[in-house]
Amino acid sequence: MLTHTQPWDAFRVEHLSVDYGGRPSPIKDLSLDLRAGEVTCVLGKSGCGKTTLLKALGGFVQAEPSGGVLFRGHYLRGPTPEIVMIFQENNLFPWLTVSQNIGFALKFRPPPGAGKKAAIRQMLDTVGLADAAHAYPHQLSGGMRQRAAIARALITEPQVLLLDEPFSALDVGLRRRMHVLMHDLWQRTGKTMVMVTHNIEEAILVGHRVIVLGARPARVLFDADTRAPDMRDRYAPAFLDLQKQLESYID
Ligand SMILES: Nc1ncnc2c1ncn2[C@@H]1O[C@H](COP(=O)(O)OP(=O)(O)OP(=O)(O)O)[C@@H](O)[C@H]1O
Ligand SMILES: [Mg+2]
């Protein structure tokens, strides 16, 4: 059950076209609504335009004038602090410690109330990195780096989190722990999240909705509601049925 749904759509993608120049446009005339307070997972073959779509949702690429992305009713003209994207490569600053990396985001948006140190400490606890506060990125495992990147994104309290294959480099155990972290995070904050992944099981387990994008131009091939309790059990018949269906689009 969703407990944090808002009456408005977070995003309305309206006749969105993105043209990188020269080649066929990866996204042409794509329309799609994303509801606030939901976790939407996006699947699709390599090169179909998933990252481009996330970048458009974050205001990081220019849409063609024939359409665009509306965020809470207004056309996005560029990046906004309300929407944070965690890129495929997590982009921590190698010369800063975990704490400093997380705190860096606060330079632009100081926290209200308890202050910067307390905010960083709380965020380290949230992502289970309290013991690694003073470590540098190269001293961390892949999963720890991803958690630090998530903490850095969350500390500014954005309304929307865009995640591009955040767990692709992790082993199965760590990946599952990250799914639990995502779920806990959503339960506590009800944030709108859009996560791109190549992992079908992950998409169903983490998302409230799973979308499959087709290529050239990107279009929605399949749109599944994955809020039912069965979709949190990877052995449930309904889960396995959906997994098989999704595989038929990706293979
Ligand atoms: N900056 C860019 N300049 C030119 N073309 C680009 C640029 N970024 C992406 N493209 C092209 O746009 C298409 C979609 O790329 P995109 O990165 O969105 O795919 P993707 O679905 O995220 O793929 P993957 O699963 O491999 O990450 C590809 O054909 C790619 O070559
Ligand atoms: Mg990509």
Side-chain angles (χ1 to χ4, degrees):
M1 268 293 279
L2 285 180
T3 51
H4 300 283
T5 34
Q6 308 290 347
W8 57 77
D9 285 323
F11 291 101
R12 171 154 289 188
V13 176
E14 222 173 48
H15 303 292
L16 173 71
S17 300
V18 177
D19 191 352
Y20 287 121
R23 312 157 174 231
S25 311
I27 296 184
K28 199 169 176 55
D29 201 23
L30 178 71
S31 293
L32 171 73
D33 286 347
L34 298 173
R35 288 179 289 271
E38 273 195 7
V39 181
T40 303
C41 289
V42 181
L43 292 165
K45 291 183 182 173
S46 186
C48 76
K50 303 179 298 297
T51 297
T52 304
L53 173 62
L54 275 198
K55 285 181 180 169
L57 295 175
F60 298 108
V61 288
Q62 183 86 38
E64 294 292 294
S66 48
V69 172
L70 288 129
F71 173 60
R72 299 185 63 181
H74 301 282
Y75 275 106
L76 267 181
R77 302 283 176 216
T80 145
E82 309 299 338
I83 306 170
V84 171
M85 180 157 169
I86 299 177
F87 289 88
Q88 250 161 313
E89 48 309 311
N90 58 44
N91 292 329
L92 292 174
F93 299 120
W95 60 89
L96 298 181
T97 65
V98 169
S99 269
Q100 291 164 342
N101 261 287
I102 296 171
F104 184 83
L106 294 176
K107 280 196 188 340
F108 310 104
R109 255 203 156 186
K116 188 170 164 177
K117 274 198 178 139
I120 295 171
R121 210 174 310 120
Q122 193 189 350
M123 197 46 70
L124 285 165
D125 280 340
T126 301
V127 298
L129 283 178
D131 292 342
H134 304 299
Y136 287 88
H138 76 272
Q139 297 171 310
L140 305 178
S141 73
M144 292 162 90
R145 275 198 291 272
Q146 255 340 327
R147 278 181 280 158
I150 289 174
R152 189 179 58 178
L154 285 175
I155 200 160
T156 56
E157 303 197 348
Q159 291 179 24
V160 179
L161 203 54
L162 306 172
L163 304 116
D164 197 1
E165 299 187 43
F167 313 133
S168 57
L170 309 187
D171 69 39
V172 177
L174 252 181
R175 203 178 246 265
R176 294 207 170 131
R177 286 204 285 284
M178 296 303 287
H179 297 163
V180 173
L181 174 78
M182 288 265 301
H183 189 70
D184 289 349
L185 192 73
W186 178 81
Q187 282 215 306
R188 272 188 301 104
T189 63
K191 285 206 190 305
T192 306
M193 303 192 211
V194 186
M195 180 172 89
V196 167
T197 173
H198 280 286
N199 186 307
I200 294 174
E201 182 185 285
E202 171 171 284
I204 306 173
L205 281 171
V206 170
H208 301 117
R209 180 182 183 193
V210 178
I211 286 171
V212 183
L213 278 193
R216 275 186 218 93
R219 65 200 184 283
V220 178
L221 296 179
F222 191 74
D223 190 344
D225 182 333
T226 52
R227 283 174 295 180
D230 274 5
M231 299 300 158
R232 304 293 167 253
D233 172 5
R234 69 174 70 86
Y235 301 111
F239 185 103
L240 295 168
D241 277 352
L242 178 61
Q243 194 170 21
K244 210 184 282 175
Q245 233 174 330
L246 290 167
E247 271 166 16
S248 70
Y249 286 100
I250 311 289
D251 284 347

